[in-house]
Amino acid sequence: MLALARKVNESIIINDDIEVTVLEVKGDQIKLGIEAPRSVPVYRKEIYKQIQEANTEAANVADPEALAKFMSK
């Protein structure tokens, strides 16, 4: 992990097209602004984990026989 120190209104650039800016610092909370192309999804980590778990669960629910029938058509 790369750790960088930034002050309010300072930014970092990721991959030429994503900019992360420190907008505000209040106590133990930091407000970040993220500019990224619309094609790049940006999620809070806890939401991303929920999406991944839901996708895994949905993939495991599929009936292998039904899937085989569907693929043979």
Side-chain angles (χ1 to χ4, degrees):
M1 174 187 302
L2 173 65
L4 299 170
R6 300 278 72 200
K7 295 178 181 178
V8 174
N9 296 321
E10 292 184 337
S11 302
I12 63 168
I13 303 295
I14 301 170
N15 202 30
D16 293 329
D17 57 355
I18 300 170
E19 182 175 358
V20 180
T21 304
V22 177
L23 300 177
E24 182 179 352
V25 178
K26 278 188 180 178
D28 63 348
Q29 287 192 332
I30 299 169
K31 188 180 288 186
L32 300 173
I34 301 169
E35 285 189 44
R38 289 195 181 273
S39 62
V40 176
V42 178
Y43 301 106
R44 295 188 333 249
K45 186 174 183 176
E46 61 273 16
I47 300 299
Y48 180 78
K49 283 183 175 182
Q50 289 176 354
I51 292 168
Q52 294 300 318
E53 289 169 4
N55 288 344
T56 300
E57 185 177 315
N60 291 334
V61 172
D63 177 11
E65 291 178 21
L67 182 57
K69 287 180 184 178
F70 176 75
M71 295 300 287
S72 67
K73 290 182 179 184

